[in-house]
Amino acid sequence: MGTIAALPGEVLIKGGTLYDPTTRKSRRMDIAVKNGLLVEPAGIRSGGAEVIDARGCIVTHGFIDIHGHFREPGREDKETLATGSRAALAGGFSRVCVMPNTDPPIDGPEGVSFILERSEGLPVAIYPIGAVTRGQGGEDLAELLEMRAAGAVAFSDDGVPIQDGQVLRRALYYTRDLGVPIINHAEDEHLRAGGIMNESALSTRLGLPGNPALAEAAMVYRDLLLAEDAGGRLHVPHVSTALAVDLVRRFKERGTAITAEATPHHLGLTEEAVRDFNTHAKVAPPLRSEEDRQAVVDGLVDGTLDCIATDHAPHTVEEKEQDMYRAPFGMIGLESAFGMAHTILRKAGLSGGQTGLSTEQVLDLLTTGPARVMGLELTPLEPGQPAELVVLAPDEEWTFTRDDIYSRSRNTPMLGLTFTGRVRATISRGSWFTSR
Ligand SMILES: [Zn+2]
Ligand SMILES: [Zn+2]
Protein backbone atom coordinates (compact mmCIF):
# COMPACT_ATOMS: atom_id res chain seq x y z
CA MET A 1 0.00 0.00 0.00
CA GLY A 2 1.66 3.21 -1.11
CA THR A 3 1.04 6.85 -0.48
CA ILE A 4 0.76 9.98 -2.59
CA ALA A 5 1.51 13.26 -0.83
CA ALA A 6 3.06 16.68 -1.16
CA LEU A 7 6.81 16.39 -1.58
CA PRO A 8 8.70 17.09 1.65
CA GLY A 9 11.04 20.10 1.58
CA GLU A 10 14.13 17.90 1.51
CA VAL A 11 14.44 14.36 0.16
CA LEU A 12 17.59 12.25 -0.04
CA ILE A 13 17.57 9.26 -2.38
CA LYS A 14 20.39 7.22 -0.90
CA GLY A 15 22.52 4.40 -2.25
CA GLY A 16 20.97 4.04 -5.72
CA THR A 17 22.29 4.17 -9.28
CA LEU A 18 21.30 7.12 -11.44
CA TYR A 19 20.55 6.14 -15.04
CA ASP A 20 20.38 9.05 -17.48
CA PRO A 21 18.41 7.86 -20.54
CA THR A 22 19.62 10.76 -22.69
CA THR A 23 23.28 9.70 -22.35
CA ARG A 24 22.56 6.04 -21.51
CA LYS A 25 25.10 6.29 -18.68
CA SER A 26 24.73 4.98 -15.14
CA ARG A 27 26.47 6.28 -12.03
CA ARG A 28 26.18 5.24 -8.41
CA MET A 29 25.30 8.36 -6.44
CA ASP A 30 23.00 9.86 -3.85
CA ILE A 31 20.43 12.29 -5.19
CA ALA A 32 19.03 15.17 -3.20
CA VAL A 33 15.85 17.16 -3.81
CA LYS A 34 15.20 20.49 -2.10
CA ASN A 35 11.93 22.36 -2.61
CA GLY A 36 11.25 20.30 -5.71
CA LEU A 37 14.63 20.96 -7.33
CA LEU A 38 17.63 18.67 -7.72
CA VAL A 39 20.53 19.84 -5.53
CA GLU A 40 23.94 18.53 -4.53
CA PRO A 41 23.53 16.13 -1.58
CA ALA A 42 25.79 18.45 0.44
CA GLY A 43 23.13 21.15 0.03
CA ILE A 44 20.61 19.58 2.39
CA ARG A 45 20.63 19.20 6.17
CA SER A 46 21.89 15.89 7.43
CA GLY A 47 19.16 14.26 9.48
CA GLY A 48 16.48 16.70 8.33
CA ALA A 49 15.63 15.15 5.01
CA GLU A 50 13.20 12.33 4.21
CA VAL A 51 15.33 9.42 3.06
CA ILE A 52 14.45 6.97 0.31
CA ASP A 53 16.55 3.83 0.73
CA ALA A 54 17.54 3.19 -2.89
CA ARG A 55 20.09 0.42 -2.37
CA GLY A 56 19.75 -1.95 -5.32
CA CYS A 57 17.52 0.57 -7.09
CA ILE A 58 17.79 2.52 -10.31
CA VAL A 59 16.85 6.19 -10.26
CA THR A 60 15.91 7.70 -13.61
CA HIS A 61 13.73 10.25 -15.41
CA GLY A 62 9.97 9.91 -14.79
CA PHE A 63 8.14 7.84 -17.40
CA ILE A 64 6.18 9.39 -20.27
CA ASP A 65 2.91 7.83 -21.39
CA ILE A 66 1.82 9.04 -24.81
CA HIS A 67 -1.55 7.25 -24.75
CA GLY A 68 -3.96 7.74 -21.84
CA HIS A 69 -7.74 8.18 -21.58
CA PHE A 70 -8.59 10.37 -18.57
CA ARG A 71 -12.30 10.80 -19.49
CA GLU A 72 -12.57 14.47 -18.51
CA PRO A 73 -14.72 16.23 -19.59
CA GLY A 74 -17.87 14.11 -19.63
CA ARG A 75 -17.17 10.79 -17.92
CA GLU A 76 -15.70 11.84 -14.60
CA ASP A 77 -17.31 8.74 -13.06
CA LYS A 78 -14.63 6.67 -14.85
CA GLU A 79 -11.60 8.96 -14.37
CA THR A 80 -10.67 12.62 -14.07
CA LEU A 81 -7.48 14.43 -14.91
CA ALA A 82 -6.78 14.45 -11.16
CA THR A 83 -7.43 10.74 -10.48
CA GLY A 84 -5.66 9.73 -13.68
CA SER A 85 -2.64 11.75 -12.57
CA ARG A 86 -2.51 9.82 -9.31
CA ALA A 87 -2.61 6.52 -11.20
CA ALA A 88 0.20 7.80 -13.41
CA LEU A 89 2.36 8.86 -10.48
CA ALA A 90 1.90 5.46 -8.83
CA GLY A 91 3.04 3.86 -12.09
CA GLY A 92 6.25 5.91 -12.24
CA PHE A 93 4.94 8.36 -14.83
CA SER A 94 5.54 12.10 -14.64
CA ARG A 95 3.88 13.00 -17.95
CA VAL A 96 0.81 11.73 -19.79
CA CYS A 97 -0.53 12.65 -23.22
CA VAL A 98 -4.32 12.39 -23.02
CA MET A 99 -6.56 11.26 -25.85
CA PRO A 100 -9.37 13.58 -27.01
CA ASN A 101 -12.26 11.07 -27.10
CA THR A 102 -13.98 12.75 -24.17
CA ASP A 103 -17.56 14.03 -24.09
CA PRO A 104 -17.49 16.40 -25.87
CA PRO A 105 -14.33 15.46 -27.79
CA ILE A 106 -11.36 17.87 -27.70
CA ASP A 107 -11.60 19.13 -31.28
CA GLY A 108 -10.82 22.85 -30.95
CA PRO A 109 -8.41 25.23 -29.21
CA GLU A 110 -10.90 25.89 -26.36
CA GLY A 111 -10.90 22.20 -25.50
CA VAL A 112 -7.11 22.07 -25.52
CA SER A 113 -6.99 25.10 -23.22
CA PHE A 114 -9.58 23.51 -20.93
CA ILE A 115 -7.42 20.40 -20.47
CA LEU A 116 -4.32 22.50 -19.80
CA GLU A 117 -6.11 24.73 -17.28
CA ARG A 118 -7.68 21.77 -15.47
CA SER A 119 -4.26 20.13 -15.25
CA GLU A 120 -2.45 22.98 -13.54
CA GLY A 121 -1.12 21.87 -10.19
CA LEU A 122 -1.59 18.15 -10.83
CA PRO A 123 1.28 15.83 -9.86
CA VAL A 124 2.00 14.88 -13.48
CA ALA A 125 2.25 17.06 -16.57
CA ILE A 126 -0.69 16.60 -18.96
CA TYR A 127 -0.24 17.02 -22.71
CA PRO A 128 -3.51 17.24 -24.68
CA ILE A 129 -3.95 15.41 -27.97
CA GLY A 130 -6.52 17.03 -30.28
CA ALA A 131 -9.07 15.26 -32.48
CA VAL A 132 -8.29 14.84 -36.17
CA THR A 133 -11.89 15.39 -37.24
CA ARG A 134 -14.71 17.57 -35.95
CA GLY A 135 -16.54 15.75 -33.17
CA GLN A 136 -14.42 12.70 -34.08
CA GLY A 137 -17.00 12.19 -36.78
CA GLY A 138 -14.41 11.02 -39.31
CA GLU A 139 -15.43 13.54 -41.99
CA ASP A 140 -14.43 17.20 -41.59
CA LEU A 141 -10.96 18.07 -40.35
CA ALA A 142 -10.90 19.75 -36.93
CA GLU A 143 -9.05 23.01 -36.26
CA LEU A 144 -5.64 21.36 -36.34
CA LEU A 145 -3.43 24.44 -36.61
CA GLU A 146 -5.38 26.30 -33.91
CA MET A 147 -5.18 23.33 -31.57
CA ARG A 148 -1.44 23.04 -32.16
CA ALA A 149 -1.07 26.74 -31.31
CA ALA A 150 -3.08 26.16 -28.10
CA GLY A 151 -0.75 23.34 -27.02
CA ALA A 152 -1.88 20.07 -28.62
CA VAL A 153 1.08 17.69 -29.02
CA ALA A 154 -0.53 15.33 -31.55
CA PHE A 155 -3.82 14.56 -33.27
CA SER A 156 -5.94 11.43 -33.00
CA ASP A 157 -9.52 10.20 -33.29
CA ASP A 158 -8.47 7.26 -31.08
CA GLY A 159 -11.40 5.12 -30.07
CA VAL A 160 -12.70 5.57 -33.60
CA PRO A 161 -10.56 4.52 -36.59
CA ILE A 162 -10.49 7.04 -39.45
CA GLN A 163 -12.18 4.94 -42.13
CA ASP A 164 -11.99 7.52 -44.93
CA GLY A 165 -8.49 7.36 -46.38
CA GLN A 166 -8.82 10.76 -48.03
CA VAL A 167 -9.55 12.40 -44.65
CA LEU A 168 -6.41 10.90 -43.10
CA ARG A 169 -4.41 11.81 -46.19
CA ARG A 170 -5.45 15.45 -45.91
CA ALA A 171 -4.75 15.51 -42.16
CA LEU A 172 -1.24 14.15 -42.76
CA TYR A 173 -0.70 16.69 -45.52
CA TYR A 174 -1.88 19.70 -43.46
CA THR A 175 0.20 18.76 -40.43
CA ARG A 176 3.34 18.00 -42.42
CA ASP A 177 5.10 21.17 -41.31
CA LEU A 178 3.94 21.05 -37.68
CA GLY A 179 6.21 18.14 -36.81
CA VAL A 180 3.53 16.47 -34.67
CA PRO A 181 2.20 12.98 -35.29
CA ILE A 182 -1.22 11.84 -36.41
CA ILE A 183 -2.20 8.76 -34.43
CA ASN A 184 -4.80 6.56 -36.10
CA HIS A 185 -6.43 3.68 -34.24
CA ALA A 186 -5.93 1.19 -37.06
CA GLU A 187 -8.86 -1.19 -37.46
CA ASP A 188 -10.87 -1.62 -40.64
CA GLU A 189 -14.48 -1.59 -39.44
CA HIS A 190 -15.68 -3.85 -42.24
CA LEU A 191 -13.03 -6.48 -41.58
CA ARG A 192 -13.53 -6.13 -37.85
CA ALA A 193 -17.22 -6.82 -38.48
CA GLY A 194 -18.30 -6.40 -34.88
CA GLY A 195 -15.59 -8.73 -33.55
CA ILE A 196 -15.08 -8.55 -29.81
CA MET A 197 -12.06 -10.83 -29.46
CA ASN A 198 -9.25 -12.12 -31.67
CA GLU A 199 -10.52 -14.22 -34.59
CA SER A 200 -9.11 -17.69 -34.03
CA ALA A 201 -9.95 -21.28 -33.18
CA LEU A 202 -10.63 -20.02 -29.66
CA SER A 203 -13.20 -17.43 -30.78
CA THR A 204 -14.97 -20.15 -32.76
CA ARG A 205 -14.97 -22.45 -29.75
CA LEU A 206 -16.28 -19.71 -27.45
CA GLY A 207 -18.83 -18.67 -30.03
CA LEU A 208 -17.73 -15.02 -29.87
CA PRO A 209 -17.45 -12.84 -33.00
CA GLY A 210 -13.81 -12.66 -34.09
CA ASN A 211 -11.78 -9.59 -35.05
CA PRO A 212 -9.13 -10.81 -37.53
CA ALA A 213 -5.49 -9.69 -37.49
CA LEU A 214 -6.23 -8.49 -41.02
CA ALA A 215 -8.47 -5.72 -39.70
CA GLU A 216 -5.45 -4.09 -38.09
CA ALA A 217 -2.90 -4.94 -40.75
CA ALA A 218 -4.99 -3.74 -43.69
CA MET A 219 -5.48 -0.33 -42.12
CA VAL A 220 -1.87 -0.03 -40.93
CA TYR A 221 -0.76 -0.75 -44.49
CA ARG A 222 -3.12 1.91 -45.85
CA ASP A 223 -1.96 4.41 -43.23
CA LEU A 224 1.72 3.78 -43.97
CA LEU A 225 1.13 4.32 -47.69
CA LEU A 226 -0.73 7.54 -46.94
CA ALA A 227 2.04 8.80 -44.66
CA GLU A 228 4.59 8.08 -47.35
CA ASP A 229 2.50 9.88 -49.93
CA ALA A 230 1.51 12.93 -47.87
CA GLY A 231 4.85 13.34 -46.11
CA GLY A 232 3.23 13.77 -42.69
CA ARG A 233 4.22 11.99 -39.49
CA LEU A 234 2.20 8.90 -38.68
CA HIS A 235 2.29 7.17 -35.32
CA VAL A 236 0.77 3.69 -35.11
CA PRO A 237 -0.73 3.05 -31.66
CA HIS A 238 -1.13 -0.26 -29.81
CA VAL A 239 0.33 -2.59 -32.46
CA SER A 240 -1.13 -6.03 -31.75
CA THR A 241 -0.33 -8.32 -34.68
CA ALA A 242 2.72 -9.93 -36.28
CA LEU A 243 1.44 -8.63 -39.62
CA ALA A 244 1.43 -5.00 -38.45
CA VAL A 245 4.87 -5.28 -36.81
CA ASP A 246 6.21 -6.60 -40.12
CA LEU A 247 4.62 -3.73 -42.07
CA VAL A 248 6.07 -1.09 -39.74
CA ARG A 249 9.49 -2.75 -40.05
CA ARG A 250 9.35 -2.75 -43.84
CA PHE A 251 8.23 0.89 -44.10
CA LYS A 252 10.94 2.01 -41.67
CA GLU A 253 13.47 0.26 -43.90
CA ARG A 254 12.09 2.32 -46.77
CA GLY A 255 12.74 5.49 -44.78
CA THR A 256 9.12 6.47 -44.12
CA ALA A 257 8.74 8.92 -41.19
CA ILE A 258 6.70 6.65 -38.96
CA THR A 259 6.73 5.61 -35.33
CA ALA A 260 4.81 2.94 -33.43
CA GLU A 261 4.00 1.85 -29.89
CA ALA A 262 3.06 -1.34 -28.02
CA THR A 263 1.00 -1.66 -24.85
CA PRO A 264 2.06 -3.72 -21.83
CA HIS A 265 -1.10 -5.82 -22.21
CA HIS A 266 -0.28 -6.83 -25.78
CA LEU A 267 3.23 -7.74 -24.56
CA GLY A 268 2.11 -9.84 -21.64
CA LEU A 269 -1.33 -11.27 -22.38
CA THR A 270 -2.94 -13.32 -25.15
CA GLU A 271 -6.49 -14.16 -26.19
CA GLU A 272 -6.39 -16.87 -23.51
CA ALA A 273 -7.28 -14.08 -21.05
CA VAL A 274 -10.85 -13.93 -22.45
CA ARG A 275 -11.38 -17.71 -22.33
CA ASP A 276 -13.58 -17.41 -19.23
CA PHE A 277 -15.50 -14.48 -20.76
CA ASN A 278 -13.55 -11.99 -18.66
CA THR A 279 -14.74 -8.57 -19.84
CA HIS A 280 -11.68 -6.94 -18.25
CA ALA A 281 -9.63 -8.57 -21.03
CA LYS A 282 -11.85 -7.08 -23.75
CA VAL A 283 -9.73 -4.41 -25.44
CA ALA A 284 -9.40 -2.85 -28.87
CA PRO A 285 -7.39 -4.03 -30.68
CA PRO A 286 -7.96 -7.40 -28.99
CA LEU A 287 -5.46 -9.56 -27.17
CA ARG A 288 -4.07 -11.84 -29.87
CA SER A 289 -2.38 -15.20 -30.37
CA GLU A 290 0.91 -16.22 -28.75
CA GLU A 291 2.66 -15.77 -32.12
CA ASP A 292 1.37 -12.20 -32.36
CA ARG A 293 2.39 -11.46 -28.77
CA GLN A 294 5.90 -12.72 -29.44
CA ALA A 295 6.09 -10.61 -32.62
CA VAL A 296 5.18 -7.47 -30.66
CA VAL A 297 7.90 -8.32 -28.10
CA ASP A 298 10.38 -8.83 -30.95
CA GLY A 299 9.32 -5.48 -32.44
CA LEU A 300 10.25 -3.66 -29.24
CA VAL A 301 13.46 -5.63 -28.74
CA ASP A 302 14.76 -4.96 -32.27
CA GLY A 303 13.66 -1.31 -32.35
CA THR A 304 10.86 -1.64 -34.93
CA LEU A 305 8.47 -0.29 -32.29
CA ASP A 306 9.57 2.96 -30.66
CA CYS A 307 8.03 2.92 -27.22
CA ILE A 308 5.67 1.47 -24.66
CA ALA A 309 2.34 3.27 -24.15
CA THR A 310 -0.41 2.17 -21.79
CA ASP A 311 -3.72 2.90 -23.58
CA HIS A 312 -5.01 3.34 -20.00
CA ALA A 313 -8.79 3.14 -20.58
CA PRO A 314 -10.89 3.26 -17.40
CA HIS A 315 -14.50 2.03 -17.30
CA THR A 316 -16.98 1.70 -14.44
CA VAL A 317 -17.69 -1.57 -12.65
CA GLU A 318 -21.30 -1.49 -13.91
CA GLU A 319 -20.18 -1.18 -17.53
CA LYS A 320 -17.67 -4.01 -17.27
CA GLU A 321 -20.11 -6.25 -15.39
CA GLN A 322 -22.23 -6.52 -18.53
CA ASP A 323 -21.76 -9.48 -20.88
CA MET A 324 -18.95 -9.75 -23.43
CA TYR A 325 -21.07 -8.12 -26.12
CA ARG A 326 -22.16 -5.07 -24.16
CA ALA A 327 -19.10 -4.35 -21.99
CA PRO A 328 -16.96 -1.53 -23.42
CA PHE A 329 -13.44 -2.08 -24.80
CA GLY A 330 -10.46 -1.11 -22.65
CA MET A 331 -8.45 -1.71 -19.49
CA ILE A 332 -6.54 0.51 -17.10
CA GLY A 333 -2.78 0.23 -17.38
CA LEU A 334 -0.74 2.95 -15.70
CA GLU A 335 -0.08 1.25 -12.35
CA SER A 336 0.92 -2.11 -13.86
CA ALA A 337 2.79 -0.82 -16.94
CA PHE A 338 6.37 -0.98 -15.67
CA GLY A 339 5.88 -4.28 -13.85
CA MET A 340 4.40 -6.02 -16.86
CA ALA A 341 6.69 -4.53 -19.52
CA HIS A 342 9.85 -5.09 -17.48
CA THR A 343 8.91 -8.66 -16.57
CA ILE A 344 8.26 -9.62 -20.18
CA LEU A 345 11.00 -7.70 -21.97
CA ARG A 346 13.85 -8.49 -19.60
CA LYS A 347 13.37 -12.21 -19.73
CA ALA A 348 11.67 -12.86 -23.03
CA GLY A 349 14.24 -11.93 -25.63
CA LEU A 350 13.67 -12.47 -29.31
CA SER A 351 11.87 -15.53 -30.54
CA GLY A 352 15.16 -16.51 -32.19
CA GLY A 353 16.61 -17.08 -28.73
CA GLN A 354 18.64 -13.91 -28.22
CA THR A 355 18.74 -12.37 -24.76
CA GLY A 356 16.06 -9.95 -23.60
CA LEU A 357 16.43 -6.26 -22.90
CA SER A 358 18.33 -4.82 -19.96
CA THR A 359 16.36 -2.85 -17.38
CA GLU A 360 17.95 0.30 -18.80
CA GLN A 361 16.71 -0.54 -22.31
CA VAL A 362 13.20 -0.99 -20.94
CA LEU A 363 13.55 2.42 -19.29
CA ASP A 364 14.50 3.93 -22.67
CA LEU A 365 11.17 2.65 -24.05
CA LEU A 366 9.37 4.57 -21.29
CA THR A 367 11.40 7.81 -21.44
CA THR A 368 13.46 8.74 -24.51
CA GLY A 369 11.35 6.55 -26.83
CA PRO A 370 7.99 8.24 -26.14
CA ALA A 371 9.66 11.68 -25.86
CA ARG A 372 11.03 11.30 -29.38
CA VAL A 373 7.63 10.27 -30.79
CA MET A 374 5.96 13.36 -29.32
CA GLY A 375 8.87 15.79 -29.75
CA LEU A 376 9.19 16.36 -25.98
CA GLU A 377 12.38 17.29 -24.14
CA LEU A 378 13.37 15.35 -21.04
CA THR A 379 14.22 17.36 -17.93
CA PRO A 380 18.02 17.20 -17.42
CA LEU A 381 19.05 15.16 -14.36
CA GLU A 382 21.23 17.98 -13.03
CA PRO A 383 21.32 20.28 -10.00
CA GLY A 384 18.98 23.25 -10.37
CA GLN A 385 16.49 21.34 -12.51
CA PRO A 386 12.99 20.30 -11.34
CA ALA A 387 13.02 16.79 -9.86
CA GLU A 388 11.22 14.52 -12.33
CA LEU A 389 12.30 11.12 -11.08
CA VAL A 390 11.31 7.54 -10.61
CA VAL A 391 13.04 5.10 -8.25
CA LEU A 392 12.81 1.47 -9.37
CA ALA A 393 13.60 -1.81 -7.65
CA PRO A 394 14.37 -3.90 -10.77
CA ASP A 395 14.59 -7.25 -8.99
CA GLU A 396 11.67 -6.88 -6.60
CA GLU A 397 8.95 -9.46 -7.13
CA TRP A 398 5.47 -8.25 -6.26
CA THR A 399 1.88 -9.20 -6.84
CA PHE A 400 -0.39 -6.61 -8.42
CA THR A 401 -3.48 -6.10 -6.23
CA ARG A 402 -6.35 -3.65 -5.84
CA ASP A 403 -4.26 -1.77 -3.28
CA ASP A 404 -1.90 -0.81 -6.10
CA ILE A 405 -4.66 0.92 -8.08
CA TYR A 406 -5.09 4.69 -7.81
CA SER A 407 -7.32 5.10 -10.86
CA ARG A 408 -11.01 5.77 -10.22
CA SER A 409 -11.70 2.54 -12.15
CA ARG A 410 -10.48 -1.00 -11.55
CA ASN A 411 -10.98 -2.67 -14.91
CA THR A 412 -7.88 -4.80 -15.38
CA PRO A 413 -7.37 -8.53 -15.89
CA MET A 414 -3.91 -8.26 -14.31
CA LEU A 415 -4.92 -8.46 -10.63
CA GLY A 416 -3.06 -11.31 -8.99
CA LEU A 417 -0.23 -11.40 -11.53
CA THR A 418 3.33 -11.38 -10.18
CA PHE A 419 5.79 -8.97 -11.75
CA THR A 420 9.55 -8.50 -11.47
CA GLY A 421 10.47 -4.84 -11.08
CA ARG A 422 8.56 -2.32 -9.03
CA VAL A 423 8.18 1.44 -8.79
CA ARG A 424 9.52 2.32 -5.34
CA ALA A 425 8.94 6.08 -5.61
CA THR A 426 8.03 8.80 -8.09
CA ILE A 427 8.79 12.50 -7.65
CA SER A 428 7.07 14.98 -9.95
CA ARG A 429 5.80 18.56 -9.79
CA GLY A 430 5.98 18.90 -6.03
CA SER A 431 4.33 15.55 -5.25
CA TRP A 432 5.66 12.13 -4.51
CA PHE A 433 4.50 8.57 -4.52
CA THR A 434 6.15 5.94 -2.35
CA SER A 435 5.22 2.26 -2.43
CA ARG A 436 5.95 1.70 1.26
ZN1 LIG B 1 -7.02 2.98 -29.88
ZN1 LIG C 1 -6.66 4.40 -26.77
Side-chain angles (χ1 to χ4, degrees), residues 110-125:
E110 308 78 18
V112 172
S113 301
F114 170 83
I115 299 290
L116 290 172
E117 279 158 28
R118 294 284 293 171
S119 306
E120 275 171 27
L122 293 180
V124 304

Side-chain angles (χ1 to χ4, degrees), residues 9-37:
E10 296 187 348
V11 178
L12 184 62
I13 304 168
K14 213 169 158 47
T17 298
L18 181 71
Y19 173 66
D20 185 341
T22 57
T23 59
R24 293 191 163 148
K25 292 211 169 86
S26 292
R27 192 150 70 98
R28 286 199 65 155
M29 60 185 285
D30 294 342
I31 295 143
V33 180
K34 186 172 184 174
N35 300 327
L37 299 179

Side-chain angles (χ1 to χ4, degrees), residues 342-410:
H342 184 254
T343 301
I344 298 296
L345 291 170
R346 203 170 69 157
K347 78 168 180 217
L350 291 164
S351 47
Q354 287 97 324
T355 51
L357 296 184
S358 65
T359 296
E360 289 78 5
Q361 287 171 312
V362 177
L363 299 179
D364 293 344
L365 293 168
L366 288 158
T367 54
T368 47
R372 224 175 289 124
V373 171
M374 287 295 187
L376 305 177
E377 297 279 330
L378 296 190
T379 305
L381 302 174
E382 291 165 6
Q385 296 287 341
E388 184 175 359
L389 300 173
V390 59
V391 181
L392 304 156
D395 299 318
E396 182 175 337
E397 296 221 345
W398 61 292
T399 301
F400 183 57
T401 70
R402 276 171 69 146
D403 286 346
D404 299 305
I405 294 177
Y406 289 78
S407 167
R408 182 161 279 178
S409 295
R410 280 182 230 108

